[in-house]
Amino acid sequence: MKKIEIDENGYYGIFGGAFIPELLYPNVKKLEDNYLDIMNSDSFKKEFSQLLDTYVGRPTPLYKAERLSQKYGATIYLKREDLNHTGAHKINNTIGQILIAKRLGKKRIIAETGAGQHGVATATVCALMNLECIVFMGEVDIERQAPNVARMKMLGATVIPAKSGSKTLKDATNEAIRDWINHPKDTYYLIGSVVGPHPYPDMVARLQSIISEEIKQQLNKQTGSSFPNKVIACVGGGSNAAGAFYHFLNEEKVELIAVEAAGKGVDSGRSAATSVLGDVGVLHGSKTILMQDEYGQVIEPYSISAGLDYPGIGPLHAYLNDIKRAKFMNATDDEAIKAAFELTELEGIIPALESAHALAVLGKIKFKKDEVVVVNLSGRGDKDMATYMKYIK
Amino acid sequence: MKKLNKLFAEKKNNILSVFFTAGFPSLNDTTKVLKALESSGADFVEVGLPYSDPLADGETIQRSSAKALANGINLDIIFDQLLLVKDTNKLPIVIMGYFNQILKYGEEKFCAKCKECGVETLIIPDLPMIEYENHYKELFGKHGLSNVFLISPMTSEERIRKIDDMTDLFIYVVASSATTGAKNKLSDEQLKYFDRIKNMKLESPLMIGFGISDNNTFNNACKYANGAIVGSAFVSAISGVGTGDIDTVVRNWVEDIFSK
């Protein structure tokens, strides 16, 4: 198998690149020229790992879920990213990028957010570093994720509603990019997923790769082998999946399973299953798989989960899907809800709706006895209680 | 010789290019607006392909794109509209559109269609120079299409020189670090930047765009470049105008821009 890595132009196979207006070129170029040097520097490494340990609460546990294992006939471990400070894996990335932004001398931080988790994680690190924070969030998402909006505001961020298009994550991203065009000198765009122009997909994947680094160590300690048979993660843009897959990408014996949101069903017209419904296109600066009509107009995705209704996937995932290195599955709204209640009942853990999609495919896979499976539990369910409450009998 | 080369050879100053969104205000207004601009004395036009996610555009053009898409416009209809006026229209036509539409339509088919409709020039704001060089230069050339590059206040001198080398029509000088949108005054900082570009004595003609909205900003920009491009202000002016009134509104608007 050809080694899976990004090439010098920022491509995974045919996916990636930096399709940006000339106005953003100097900014993106400066980041591209510096991100690896910064990330490989001793000062960055030291500060990053110290903050992850003492502020974020890493390493997060790798928990053997006994009752869940019993139910599905495999040995299932949960990577507890839900236990991170701010409630999801998102903060791994924001801590890393804020340290990079500081080293680039930027004073003003902008971010997009869907469910609000990345917005909260960005507002948090901006408070920590005393930097101005502006978060773009779709008007529709502001409504369905009110607690996270309040958290961002309490953390000192300005939340600007994105009122264009579908008023969700893709439009929040458009607005953030427009703001960046208008403030090229002092502003750093802190992207929340493995999307956007090169070098963002690679940078964010590297920052999230701590997840699989820990899985390897923890699994080795608990089972004597660093390699599970399967790793399962949900994919919206795909940052938690990129982090959970990263150190297994070139280990063929580890099966990688990416789970997209099918919404009301893949063929219902209300779905976010990009790998099934999309084809090659350019979105937010990278060439990837995109949900679009016959004229290349972007189609509004739908999912009950605000973190998964994105019309594209990161270019790494488009590539993994293309070369069949990862198996793409999907789960509907109803299946995700059911999985969330099941995990709560069996293990006493309320997962985020996004993570519930990853759990929802456990019942769709035929496991061999003794298979070791890691599910990346990317976030906790606190933010989704309003949705869950509708289903409590 | 391309229509635009001829224009730049014959006219050195006060060149007015007008951007408008295809299929706006009404679906079949594309040719109506084009004709009105031609008879009013605009020098060339940029036909904007409405896109669902226009990253480099401010609110005015976003709204016109959304309206045009709601009107039912698509690339095939736009090409049909342009084909209708191909034999009578004398204005050079530039197509301005986001890259994904071209990719999805099929790059080869898109280029062939442009040629068939008499389009000689493309502005694709999110197609970066390296992608153009590596993948599209040859294809565009094969169909007689020129690519126009943008420069901004942040573009380095080295890169501007490179863009000048690669340009065969004109350089689009983006007036400020901003998305598109009408502004009624050019700042000292902008004028300093125009001066810097002017003093570089580039080979290519220069057209200043983004934020040019009226005769004042137009005349001011023309002191530093061969001409200027107006987009949002024009789109605003024809927004909500009925098809029957387009001629008058466009004529008055162009007269206003050219007034001293």
Side-chain angles (χ1 to χ4, degrees):
Chain A
M1 189 175 77
K2 206 175 141 225
K3 195 166 182 236
I4 295 167
E5 59 187 353
I6 200 153
D7 72 18
E8 74 265 19
N9 295 320
Y11 276 89
Y12 304 94
I14 64 157
F15 302 106
F19 292 83
I20 45 165
E22 182 65 27
L23 292 107
L24 289 177
Y25 177 82
N27 266 321
V28 171
K29 178 77 177 143
K30 189 174 174 196
L31 185 62
E32 187 192 336
D33 288 346
N34 288 289
Y35 81 109
L36 286 177
D37 286 346
I38 292 174
M39 289 177 72
N40 291 326
S41 71
D42 290 339
S43 89
F44 175 89
K45 281 189 195 159
K46 194 175 156 205
E47 209 179 342
F48 185 49
S49 94
Q50 212 159 47
L51 283 169
L52 289 185
D53 288 359
T54 62
Y55 185 74
V56 174
R58 301 204 73 92
T60 58
L62 184 71
Y63 164 69
K64 188 174 172 187
E66 295 282 3
R67 294 184 65 200
L68 199 66
S69 299
Q70 220 165 34
K71 167 143 194 183
Y72 290 107
T75 308
I76 299 171
Y77 288 87
L78 302 177
K79 181 57 175 164
R80 298 290 309 273
E81 291 300 298
D82 60 315
L83 294 176
N84 282 319
H85 179 39
T86 71
H89 70 291
K90 291 288 185 189
I91 196 156
N92 304 328
N93 170 45
T94 60
I95 291 269
Q97 283 198 58
I98 204 81
L99 296 177
I100 292 170
K102 268 180 65 178
R103 281 160 173 78
L104 293 172
K106 301 289 183 176
K107 305 275 182 245
R108 182 175 174 273
I109 305 299
I110 57 169
E112 83 296 337
T113 197
Q117 290 304 103
H118 174 59
V120 168
T122 304
T124 298
V125 297
C126 287
L128 180 68
M129 298 294 168
N130 192 25
L131 290 168
E132 185 186 358
C133 180
I134 293 132
V135 180
F136 294 89
M137 187 168 185
E139 215 169 37
V140 170
D141 291 336
I142 287 181
E143 222 164 274
R144 58 179 171 175
Q145 303 288 340
N148 271 345
V149 176
R151 290 164 81 195
M152 286 185 266
K153 288 184 175 165
M154 185 162 171
L155 287 159
T158 305
V159 180
I160 300 183
K163 297 178 178 179
S164 56
S166 58
K167 304 178 178 63
T168 60
L169 179 56
K170 111 181 148 66
D171 309 285
T173 308
N174 289 341
E175 290 304 327
I177 293 174
R178 288 184 187 119
D179 180 280
W180 200 20
I181 288 175
N182 282 283
H183 301 90
K185 283 186 190 151
D186 59 341
T187 297
Y188 180 86
Y189 181 18
L190 206 162
I191 297 184
S193 192
V194 286
V195 302
H198 177 63
Y200 281 99
D202 183 48
M203 179 171 65
V204 176
R206 284 169 190 264
L207 292 170
Q208 290 292 2
S209 70
I210 183 78
I211 300 172
S212 48
E213 193 181 314
E214 287 177 6
I215 291 173
K216 275 176 83 174
Q217 288 163 4
Q218 292 166 323
L219 202 62
N220 190 284
K221 212 168 152 191
Q222 293 184 45
T223 70
S225 163
S226 303
F227 302 102
N229 298 94
K230 292 179 167 66
V231 179
I232 304 176
C234 64
V235 172
S239 70
N240 93 78
F245 294 169
Y246 197 87
H247 290 284
F248 303 118
L249 286 173
N250 294 301
E251 304 289 346
E252 262 181 288
K253 58 183 175 286
V254 181
E255 188 183 358
L256 308 175
I257 298 172
V259 185
E260 294 180 308
K264 299 287 183 195
V266 170
D267 300 318
S268 67
R270 297 192 74 203
S271 177
T274 306
S275 72
V276 185
L277 300 169
D279 59 358
V280 177
V282 167
L283 180 69
H284 298 141
S286 65
K287 191 185 272 188
T288 183
I289 300 284
L290 170 64
M291 288 170 60
Q292 55 188 330
D293 72 9
E294 61 175 313
Y295 291 102
Q297 309 289 348
V298 180
I299 290 175
E300 314 293 356
Y302 162 83
S303 163
I304 192 171
S305 144
L308 298 181
D309 64 353
Y310 186 66
I313 48 175
L316 167 64
H317 295 299
Y319 181 58
L320 296 179
N321 179 48
D322 194 44
I323 62 168
K324 303 205 163 28
R325 172 66 188 95
K327 180 176 178 182
F328 274 68
M329 300 180 72
N330 55 68
T332 63
D333 290 356
D334 290 346
E335 289 165 343
I337 292 283
K338 197 169 151 242
F341 277 83
E342 181 183 275
L343 184 73
T344 307
E345 197 183 301
L346 292 178
E347 302 288 348
I349 299 170
I350 302 177
L353 264 170
E354 291 76 14
S355 322
H357 284 74
L359 294 162
V361 300
L362 288 171
K364 302 180 180 189
I365 299 170
K366 265 213 155 61
F367 294 108
K368 288 186 213 92
K369 210 173 168 296
D370 301 327
E371 262 195 309
V372 174
V373 178
V374 175
V375 179
N376 196 34
L377 200 68
S378 55
R380 70 178 83 131
D382 303 23
K383 69 181 174 61
D384 297 311
M385 286 316 296
T387 306
Y388 289 148
M389 274 157 72
K390 292 180 199 154
Y391 294 86
I392 295 173
K393 287 175 191 108
Chain B
M1 194 185 209
K2 287 181 185 168
K3 283 182 186 168
L4 265 180
N5 286 120
K6 196 159 168 273
L7 172 70
F8 286 112
E10 287 168 0
K11 189 170 176 182
K12 299 292 178 195
N13 299 104
N14 295 325
I15 296 174
L16 172 65
S17 171
V18 180
F19 168 97
F20 65 94
T21 304
F24 179 84
S26 300
L27 181 66
N28 291 315
D29 285 343
T30 313
T31 50
K32 186 89 187 157
V33 174
L34 181 67
K35 286 271 154 213
L37 283 166
E38 185 183 9
S39 63
S40 305
D43 294 297
F44 69 96
V45 294
E46 288 165 33
V47 178
L49 309 180
Y51 188 49
S52 56
D53 294 74
L55 280 182
D57 285 305
E59 276 181 34
T60 305
I61 294 175
Q62 284 177 45
R63 271 200 303 268
S64 69
S65 299
K67 173 81 194 325
L69 290 171
N71 289 343
I73 198 78
N74 63 45
L75 207 38
D76 282 320
I77 297 177
I78 294 170
F79 283 131
D80 286 346
Q81 292 173 337
L82 295 180
L83 208 52
L84 275 180
V85 293
K86 190 194 169 192
D87 295 330
T88 51
N89 167 61
K90 293 187 180 57
L91 278 189
I93 296 175
V94 178
I95 279 193
M96 187 161 185
Y98 289 86
F99 179 62
N100 191 53
Q101 293 170 281
I102 299 166
L103 184 66
K104 178 68 183 176
Y105 197 76
E107 300 97 317
E108 182 94 43
K109 183 178 156 201
F110 177 85
C111 291
K113 273 284 189 185
C114 284
K115 191 174 181 184
E116 188 188 337
C117 297
V119 173
E120 297 169 335
T121 314
L122 301 175
I123 301 176
I124 309 163
D126 58 345
L127 180 66
M129 188 159 59
I130 182 167
E131 295 289 337
Y132 168 74
E133 276 187 291
N134 291 346
H135 303 294
Y136 295 103
K137 195 175 167 185
E138 213 183 295
L139 177 69
F140 288 7
K142 195 175 101 185
H143 294 276
L145 289 166
S146 296
N147 188 53
V148 172
F149 297 96
L150 279 63
I151 61 171
S152 87
M154 301 284 286
T155 311
S156 68
E157 176 164 346
E158 185 195 350
R159 195 165 164 89
I160 294 173
R161 297 265 175 222
K162 181 161 188 211
I163 285 172
D164 192 30
D165 280 345
M166 291 179 65
T167 294
D168 58 4
L169 281 178
F170 69 94
I171 295 176
Y172 195 131
V173 181
V174 175
S176 63
S177 295
T179 43
T180 58
K183 292 178 189 69
N184 51 22
K185 199 174 173 294
L186 294 169
S187 69
D188 291 344
E189 197 187 347
Q190 283 175 287
L191 298 180
K192 239 165 76 185
Y193 151 64
F194 297 158
D195 211 39
R196 170 166 68 88
I197 303 299
K198 188 182 173 187
N199 288 330
M200 283 180 72
K201 308 222 177 306
L202 302 171
E203 299 279 331
S204 315
L206 304 175
M207 293 292 292
I208 294 177
F210 285 38
I212 308 300
S213 62
D214 53 16
N215 75 313
N216 175 36
T217 42
F218 177 74
N219 287 330
N220 226 339
C222 286
K223 288 179 198 155
Y224 300 87
N226 302 76
I229 302 157
V230 189
S232 300
F234 179 75
V235 169
S236 281
I238 61 167
S239 154
V241 172
T243 304
D245 297 323
I246 282 179
D247 276 338
T248 321
V249 172
V250 171
R251 191 174 341 107
N252 291 340
W253 185 88
V254 173
E255 240 171 57
D256 223 44
I257 288 282
F258 277 133
S259 68
K260 291 284 167 184

